[in-house]
Structure formats: C-alpha cells, structure tokens
Amino acid sequence: AQKITQTQPGMFVQEKEAVTLDCTYDTSDPSYGLFWYKQPSSGEMIFLIYQGSYDQQNATEGRYSLNFQKARKSANLVISASQLGDSAMYFCAMREGLRGYSSASKIIFGSGTRLSIRP
Amino acid sequence: EPEVTQTPSHQVTQMGQEVILRCVPISNHLYFYWYRQILGQKVEFLVSFYNNEISEKSEIFDDQFSVERPDGSNFTLKIRSTKLEDSAMYFCASSVSGGLQETQYFGPGTRLLVL
C-alpha cells in the first residue's frame, strides 16, 4: 500500500495566485513527521517545511504553509502568492516510527506533483 | 549556509564497472543517508548510516552496494558492478540526529548513467 499519495501529477497556476498541493499519508504509528521538498529542474532537493504528528499548530515557513488534517491523514502544502520560481516538482514525504533516538529513520517520498506557474 | 556537497555531478560508466559516489555531509551532522531517483520516478531510500555502521537499508541495497565513511568528512556509496538499471540520480543526505523531527538536508545529487 502507498504510504504517501500525491494525486496531482501536474498543476498549472497563474502567477500570484495561491496553490494547494495535495498529500495524503498512511501510517499506523502515532509518531511521525511530514515533510515537503521542492525539486527544481536542476535536480536538487530543497527542504521546504516540516510538520510533526503531535504539533498542534499548522507549520508555516514564509509563503509556505502546511494544512495538516490529522484525522483525514492529509498534509497539503499551500503556497501563497505564487512566483515563477516556484515552478518545480514538489514531493510530500513522511518519516515514521520511533526505534530509539539513535535510529536514523528513512524518509518515504510520494510520487510528486509538477507545478508550473504561468506569467 | 552549510550544505551537503556531492561529487561528481555526473558520471557515465560501462555496465559491470565499479563506481564510487562521494558526499561531504554538513559538518556537525551525525546521520547520513543515500537515496536514489530513477528518471521520472519517486525518490527511494537506499541506506542510512550512523556511528560508522549501517542503521537501516532497503531491499534495493543489495550486495552490490556498500557505504563507507573513510575519514571525518566524506561519505561514499560504492556500486561494485553496475547494471543498466542503476542509472539514476543519487542523493546523499545528512541530519543532525536521527530523531523524527530532524530534517534531512539533501545534496545536489550525482546523475549516474550506466551504458
């Protein structure tokens, strides 16, 4: 079963509009972390935002915010006032399980959403 | 701002050859990872490394793969006998700790092409 599901393979948005990228996840572990990464055409992976499963507030980082709905197991990324430089692939990812503080738990990625911003 | 670096940025090799991909994690980080991304596909976890030993590995990380921290700064991924299907972007990542909340910072990747 898919752990991370991103149902939008591609999206087109007009510059300056807000955009929501969908992400749902599946885990039975009560402790987990959710991440969003941006991958521009140059290929690097850029960390955007993090949300912990016990965080009471939705995470925000500048123009990025995470709409965390725990009961629905969704963690949508909202980008306000989109810019041309936001055109990229966006990956939702999850880290789950506590195997001890010294563990180095892996990140599981979704299949990504390609966001294109129109001028 | 400190960043993860990787060399080379691109590598082309013949099937059956050995390749070593190099990474320099962020200096105060203790946890290291390799991921790969086959063209057009999702990023997949390969291996995590802490305290000079493998912490976790995926089913992709078979006997053809090995990792090493040969000195205080480098972290390497070796593929002993490359196959066509090893062609992918390989990302190194590091984090301060292995805790759930710790962000893994990724390097720019090495694009490997096996002919």
Side-chain angles (χ1 to χ4, degrees), chain B residues 101-114:
Chain B
Q101 76 288 355
E102 283 297 333
T103 297
Q104 292 178 17
Y105 292 92
F106 282 69
T110 293
R111 195 174 294 280
L112 176 66
L113 178 61
V114 182

Side-chain angles (χ1 to χ4, degrees), chain A residues 35 37 50 95 97-107, chain B residues 25-33 35 48-51 55 93-105:
Chain A
F35 301 81
Y37 284 85
Y50 166 81
R95 203 173 191 183
L98 282 175
R99 296 186 294 119
Y101 188 76
S102 63
S103 70
S105 52
K106 65 188 177 193
I107 287 179
Chain B
I26 295 172
S27 61
N28 64 331
H29 287 190
L30 301 176
Y31 294 77
F32 315 116
Y33 313 83
Y35 292 82
S48 59
F49 191 86
Y50 167 69
N51 200 25
S55 181
S94 69
S95 62
V96 172
S97 76
L100 208 61
Q101 76 288 355
E102 283 297 333
T103 297
Q104 292 178 17
Y105 292 92

Side-chain angles (χ1 to χ4, degrees), chain B residues 10-62:
Chain B
H10 294 77
Q11 177 139 12
V12 181
T13 190
Q14 295 289 325
M15 191 169 58
Q17 294 295 305
E18 175 184 285
V19 294
I20 298 176
L21 309 182
R22 291 184 167 80
C23 168
V24 178
I26 295 172
S27 61
N28 64 331
H29 287 190
L30 301 176
Y31 294 77
F32 315 116
Y33 313 83
W34 284 101
Y35 292 82
R36 80 171 185 191
Q37 185 183 29
I38 294 171
L39 188 64
Q41 297 186 22
K42 65 172 73 173
V43 178
E44 301 172 293
F45 168 77
L46 291 178
V47 65
S48 59
F49 191 86
Y50 167 69
N51 200 25
N52 281 320
E53 60 182 26
I54 289 174
S55 181
E56 186 179 4
K57 59 183 180 179
S58 71
E59 60 274 9
I60 302 168
F61 194 88
D62 61 21

Side-chain angles (χ1 to χ4, degrees), chain B residues 54-114:
Chain B
I54 289 174
S55 181
E56 186 179 4
K57 59 183 180 179
S58 71
E59 60 274 9
I60 302 168
F61 194 88
D62 61 21
D63 292 343
Q64 293 299 312
F65 292 89
S66 63
V67 288
E68 194 178 31
R69 188 148 162 86
D71 54 44
S73 59
N74 289 285
F75 179 51
T76 61
L77 174 70
K78 183 193 290 187
I79 310 174
R80 286 192 186 81
S81 178
T82 49
K83 308 185 194 72
L84 295 176
E85 54 265 36
D86 293 328
S87 295
M89 180 78 108
Y90 288 81
F91 292 103
C92 173
S94 69
S95 62
V96 172
S97 76
L100 208 61
Q101 76 288 355
E102 283 297 333
T103 297
Q104 292 178 17
Y105 292 92
F106 282 69
T110 293
R111 195 174 294 280
L112 176 66
L113 178 61
V114 182

Side-chain angles (χ1 to χ4, degrees), chain B residues 1-12:
Chain B
E1 188 173 321
E3 57 185 21
V4 177
T5 59
Q6 290 184 243
T7 54
S9 58
H10 294 77
Q11 177 139 12
V12 181

